[in-house]
Amino acid sequence: MAPLKHLEKENPIIDACFQDFCASHGILTIEDFLLHDLYELTAFSQRQTNADRLKEGITLILSLIERQCRPLVNGLKLLEDLHRNKHTLSTGDKETDSLLQGGFREGQLTELVGPSSSGKTQFCMQAAASVAENHLGRVLYLDTGNSFSARRIAQFICSSSDATLGQKVMSRILCHTVYDIYTLFDTLQDLEITLRLQMNVNESRLRLLVVDSISSLITPILGGSGSQGTYP
């Protein structure tokens, strides 16, 4: 947190006298200010000869903190915002969509955890096919274990589409092979830059990012066998 003295230039009321008063109570930074009993601090300020100026400084710092913080929102408003602004992407499986109350939430992370050969990769490929086919957007599939199968995805698509449409849907799914955590970080950073530069509208918009799987990249660093996890 910023020291109080850094606020003096733009806020003259937080001068050396105010800083000395705060320092006498162990307050040197904004964080210290937040952790302190403000009622006690205000009571001490009233005993000083410059009480009004000290109270004005305390009020100013509180207003500066309030500007930087998001307003408090109750649960009902959060729920309304979720239904109004958060779109869902079908996973391609009705039961899973029902469990997730519609499917994957755009802008949120969903983790699949399970032992080896439990169907995580199969599920991710099905979800990739579903999003590419039904949501008219691109899917980026980061494959860390050489388990991506274009043939399997084509089977998901062709079961509900004709051949021409199937090829178009397949072209929306991009697969990138990643074999270590550092390459993954570089790939994600490049992706962030690309997304900021592009308009990402219509079919060029990235709708789903799949990392299959993150555990195979982390386990060699942490050691041990670890659980298998996948992030769509």
Side-chain angles (χ1 to χ4, degrees):
M1 289 286 186
L4 294 181
K5 63 181 180 180
H6 288 179
L7 303 175
E8 182 178 1
K9 184 176 180 179
E10 296 183 0
N11 306 279
I13 192 70
I14 308 177
D15 55 14
C17 292
F18 182 83
Q19 293 172 39
D20 290 341
F21 169 74
C22 290
S24 68
H25 295 277
I27 302 174
L28 302 176
T29 68
I30 296 294
E31 184 178 30
D32 295 336
F33 192 88
L34 288 171
L35 296 174
H36 202 82
D37 187 334
L38 298 182
Y39 290 104
E40 180 183 279
L41 188 65
T42 301
F44 276 114
S45 70
Q46 293 175 345
R47 303 175 189 174
Q48 310 300 314
T49 56
N50 58 341
D52 291 340
R53 188 170 179 83
L54 291 176
K55 289 174 63 177
E56 186 180 349
I58 293 172
T59 302
L60 175 62
I61 291 182
L62 287 174
S63 66
L64 293 174
I65 293 172
E66 186 176 355
R67 291 179 206 167
Q68 298 298 319
C69 297
R70 297 182 62 184
L72 296 177
V73 181
N74 62 39
L76 180 59
K77 287 190 177 295
L78 289 173
L79 182 61
E80 290 175 348
D81 177 69
L82 179 66
H83 291 305
R84 183 171 56 251
N85 298 321
K86 298 296 184 181
H87 302 291
T88 57
L89 303 173
S90 174
T91 65
D93 180 79
K94 292 182 179 180
E95 293 185 1
T96 304
D97 285 347
S98 178
L99 181 66
L100 297 177
Q101 298 183 342
F104 298 129
R105 300 280 180 181
E106 282 192 300
Q108 295 186 5
L109 177 69
T110 303
E111 180 181 8
L112 304 179
V113 179
S116 179
S117 301
S118 60
K120 300 183 302 298
T121 294
Q122 177 90 348
F123 180 85
C124 286
M125 289 191 291
Q126 182 178 12
S130 174
V131 171
E133 181 176 8
N134 301 315
H135 297 279
L136 300 179
R138 292 190 179 277
V139 175
L140 178 58
Y141 199 110
L142 300 183
D143 181 15
T144 69
N146 199 30
S147 56
F148 180 84
S149 172
R151 179 178 298 178
R152 188 70 185 102
I153 289 183
Q155 290 175 350
F156 286 124
I157 296 172
C158 293
S159 64
S160 58
S161 306
D162 58 51
T164 302
L165 180 58
Q167 292 179 357
K168 188 175 183 179
V169 173
M170 286 289 292
S171 68
R172 299 179 190 140
I173 302 175
L174 309 176
C175 180
H176 185 71
T177 303
V178 179
Y179 290 127
D180 62 76
I181 192 69
Y182 306 106
T183 304
L184 175 64
F185 289 154
D186 290 340
T187 301
L188 294 177
Q189 185 175 24
D190 291 342
L191 175 62
E192 180 182 9
I193 295 173
T194 300
L195 292 177
R196 289 181 177 181
L197 294 176
Q198 294 179 348
M199 294 299 294
N200 294 309
V201 295
N202 300 327
E203 294 192 17
S204 65
R205 179 184 176 190
L206 181 65
R207 303 300 297 270
L208 180 68
L209 170 66
V210 178
V211 181
D212 179 20
S213 71
I214 191 69
S215 60
S216 63
L217 302 182
I218 297 178
T219 299
I221 298 176
L222 300 181
S225 57
S227 300
Q228 298 296 315
T230 301
Y231 293 83

